[in-house]
Amino acid sequence: MAQTVGEFFWDRLHQWGVRRIFGYPGDGINGLLGALQKIPDKFEFVQVRHEEMAAFMASAHAKFTGELGVCLATSGPGASHLLTGLYDARLDHMPVLAIVGQQARTAVGAHYQQELDLVSMFKDVAGAFTGYATVPAQVRHLTDRAVRIAMAERRVTALIFPNDLQDMKMEEPPRKHGAVFSGVGWTPPRVMPQQTDLQRAADVLNAGNKVAILVGAGAREATDEVIAIADMLQAGCAKALLGKQVLPDDLPWVTGSIGLLGTKPSYEMMIECDTLLMLGSGFPYSEFLPKEGQARGVQVDIDAGMLSIRYPMEVNLTGDVKATIEELLPLLKRKTDSNWRDSIAEWNEDWQQTLLDRAHAKAEKVNPQRVFTELSPRLPERVILTSDSGSCANWYARDLKIRRGMIASLSGGLASMGAAVPYAIAGKFAHPDRPVIAMIGDGAMQMNNMAELITVQKYWRQWADPRLIVMVLNNEDLNQVTWEQRAMEGNPKFEATQQIPDVPYHKFAELIGLEGIFCDDPDQVGAAWDRALAARRPVVLEMKTDPNVPPLPPHISLDQAKAFTSLLFKGDPEQGSMIKNTARQVMASILPKD
C-alpha cells in the first residue's frame, strides 16, 4: 500500500534517529498526527500544555542528550507559540527541528483563517533552513536538509506542511531536470585548527604567569581535557552559566560562575590575570573579563562567528574544544609555580565563608540563599538541575556546588522566564533514571511553569526514578526586575508592575496528585529538602522567602552605587527592610548572627 506524505515523513525522521517528539495537536497537522498514530512503537509523543513549552523541551532535549530536539505544532497560533522556545535553542546553539502545519495550498494567500506567513515568521529563528512543502516529491529532500543542517550547524530549522498535502500519496522525485535525490546520514566531524595556529596559541599560554580560563557549554564533553590543561598551566577557571557542569566545584582553583550572577573570586581572577583562555563560551558581559590590553588571549570555539567578540584575542582557534585541547597539550610547558593557584584557593575559601554568612543572615521568613546552601550538600548523585531566569538564577549560579556526573542548564542566551519546568520534564524523558530538581521564582511559576505540572502528573509514573522536585521561591515579587530597577536605574520598587499574587503552589500540587511541601521557617529548610528528596512522587517545594535580600553582584560599579544611593532619597515601599537586608549581606561576615 502506498505511503501518504505524513507516513513517509515519519519514516524518514525515524531513519534519522529521532525517537521523541514534544508537541500539541491541532487540525492543521491532522494528517501528520494520523500517520504518527499508525506507528506507536517508533516514536514517543510527549503532549505538553502549550506549544512554547514543547519548543523549550526540544531545546532542553538537545542540551541533555546531544541529539536533535523535535517539536510539533499546528498552523497559525500553534506555530507562532513555538517561537520563544525556538529562540532559546537558537541563542544557545542547539539543534532543534520545528514541524508545523499550514492551511490548504489552495487557500494560501487568501487571508484565510489561521493563515500566517510562516516562512517570513520563521526567517530569523530558523534562518539556517525553513522548508515549505508544496508537492509530495519535495518532502524527501526537505526533511533530509532540515535534519542535517540543524545537526551540523547546531541551529533551529523548520518544516511547513500544508494540511491538504499531509494525506496525499507520497511520490518520489522524478528522474529529470528540476528534481533532486537526497539521502540520510551525518556524523560530526573532528574540527581542528591549523598546526601553526596551535603553536601560536601554545606560545601565548606558555608565556603567561597568571592564566585564567573561562569555560562554557562548548566544553561540556571536555571535563578531563580542561582539567589537564588547567593543571599544565597552573590556571584558575571560571564558568559561564551554561558551563556550570563542565568542572566540579570541589577543585580549589575553580572559581564558579562569572558575571552579574558570578562570584567574587571569578571577578578577582579576571582582574589580575595576564592571560585569558576562553573555551566554548559566548559569555556576553565584557566588563567582567580583563581590561583590553591587560591580558593576552586565546579562544577556542567550534563557531568562528563567536571568536574574539567579547575580548580581542591574540589567537583565535576554530575547533572542537576537546580535540583542540588534546592537540594543544603536547605543545605546552608544565608550569611549577603554584603562587597564582594558591591565591585563587584563598579567594575561594574566603568567598565560601561569605556565602554561608550571607545565607544565614536574618531575613523575613526564609533567606533565599539558605534554600540553595542547604540543598548544595544534599544534591543526589547524577542529578539534573534546571533553573529559571530571575533572582533564583543568582543563587543557582553561586550557591550550588556541582560534582562530577551532574547535569545543569537553563535558558542562557535568551534568559527567558518559564523554562525551568519544561527543561526538567525534558531531562526526565531523556534520563528517566536520574533525579531532577527545577528551581523557579513565583513570577515564572505563574507565567507558564504551573500548567506544565499537569504534564508531570500525566507522565511521572513511567519514569524509573520518580524524583522530580519543583522548588518555588514565593516572595510575591518579580524580584530580579525589582532589584534591577533599584540598582541600575535608581528607582524604587514599582508595586503596580512588581507585586504578584500569593499563590499556594504546594496546594496546587496536591490538588493534581503530586506532593506539596511548604516551608517558611529558616531552621526547617534542610528538613524540607530531605523530605522532598525522599518522596516517591514528584514534589512542589514552596519556600516562603524574603524579597528584600539583595542579589549582590560580585563587584558593585560606581554607577550602581550612585543609582542605589539616589534610590534612598526617592523612597521605596520596602525601604526599611531593603536597607537592613542589604547591610546584612554586605557586612555578612562582620555582623552578629541574630
Side-chain angles (χ1 to χ4, degrees), residues 85-396:
L86 294 180
Y87 271 110
D88 176 64
R90 172 73 180 90
L91 270 63
D92 285 350
H93 309 278
M94 288 296 111
V96 167
L97 170 62
I99 307 160
V100 298
Q102 176 59 293
Q103 289 301 329
R105 292 167 296 167
T106 52
V108 171
H111 191 67
Y112 206 74
Q113 185 184 40
Q114 292 194 340
E115 179 203 347
L116 301 178
D117 183 353
L118 296 179
V119 173
S120 296
M121 188 181 80
F122 284 120
K123 185 177 181 179
D124 183 43
V125 72
F129 184 77
T130 296
Y132 192 129
T134 58
V135 295
Q138 277 182 291
V139 174
R140 174 174 161 182
H141 74 257
L142 292 180
T143 304
D144 292 343
R145 291 203 73 207
V147 175
R148 186 176 287 110
I149 290 171
M151 293 297 295
E153 299 184 17
R154 302 171 318 283
R155 293 282 297 272
V156 175
T157 59
L159 289 174
I160 303 165
F161 291 97
N163 58 30
D164 61 325
L165 181 76
Q166 297 167 30
D167 284 320
M168 289 182 65
K169 177 183 175 182
M170 181 58 191
E171 298 174 4
E172 291 293 344
R175 186 171 176 78
K176 65 179 184 179
H177 188 73
V180 296
F181 293 80
S182 62
V184 171
W186 177 80
T187 302
R190 190 172 188 261
V191 182
M192 285 294 306
Q194 297 285 347
Q195 190 65 31
T196 53
D197 291 324
L198 287 168
Q199 186 60 60
R200 289 174 56 225
D203 292 343
V204 171
L205 297 171
N206 285 330
N209 294 313
K210 298 179 178 181
V211 181
I213 301 175
L214 173 58
V215 296
R220 277 194 306 263
E221 304 301 322
T223 296
D224 291 333
E225 290 74 18
V226 173
I227 292 174
I229 197 170
D231 286 343
M232 181 75 77
L233 299 171
Q234 286 291 299
C237 191
K239 302 187 286 187
L241 265 182
L242 290 175
K244 187 172 178 68
Q245 73 185 52
V246 173
L247 293 170
D249 287 305
D250 55 7
L251 297 171
W253 47 269
V254 174
T255 60
S257 297
I258 188 172
L260 290 166
L261 313 185
T263 70
K264 188 177 180 183
S266 291
Y267 182 79
E268 291 173 324
M269 181 175 68
M270 290 297 166
I271 291 302
E272 294 197 17
C273 73
D274 62 19
T275 308
L276 173 63
L277 173 60
M278 275 182 75
L279 300 171
S281 175
F283 172 72
Y285 303 119
S286 297
E287 68 269 27
F288 289 95
L289 297 178
K291 293 180 181 179
E292 185 172 1
Q294 168 196 322
R296 302 177 74 184
V298 175
Q299 185 175 357
V300 182
D301 204 289
I302 195 73
D303 183 351
M306 299 304 295
L307 293 171
S308 211
I309 60 172
R310 310 301 187 214
Y311 188 82
M313 297 294 175
E314 188 171 335
V315 183
N316 296 283
L317 302 177
T318 302
D320 173 76
V321 170
K322 180 182 175 73
T324 300
I325 295 177
E326 288 173 346
E327 295 297 320
L328 262 177
L329 283 169
L331 306 177
L332 297 176
K333 299 174 183 177
R334 183 171 295 277
K335 300 182 189 297
T336 57
D337 186 344
S338 65
N339 287 337
W340 174 236
R341 271 196 165 180
D342 292 342
S343 296
I344 293 170
E346 290 176 10
W347 297 338
N348 270 336
E349 188 175 349
D350 290 344
W351 176 249
Q352 295 311 313
Q353 187 59 52
T354 296
L355 288 179
L356 287 174
D357 291 342
R358 288 181 177 180
H360 285 83
K362 186 177 180 180
E364 296 296 324
K365 303 295 183 183
V366 175
N367 182 328
Q369 292 161 113
R370 186 162 180 179
V371 175
F372 291 79
T373 57
E374 292 281 359
L375 169 62
S376 192
R378 292 176 165 86
L379 288 173
E381 296 299 319
R382 301 177 68 245
V383 70
I384 298 174
L385 301 170
T386 72
S387 172
D388 222 289
S389 294
S391 61
C392 66
N394 290 275
W395 324 127
Y396 159 85

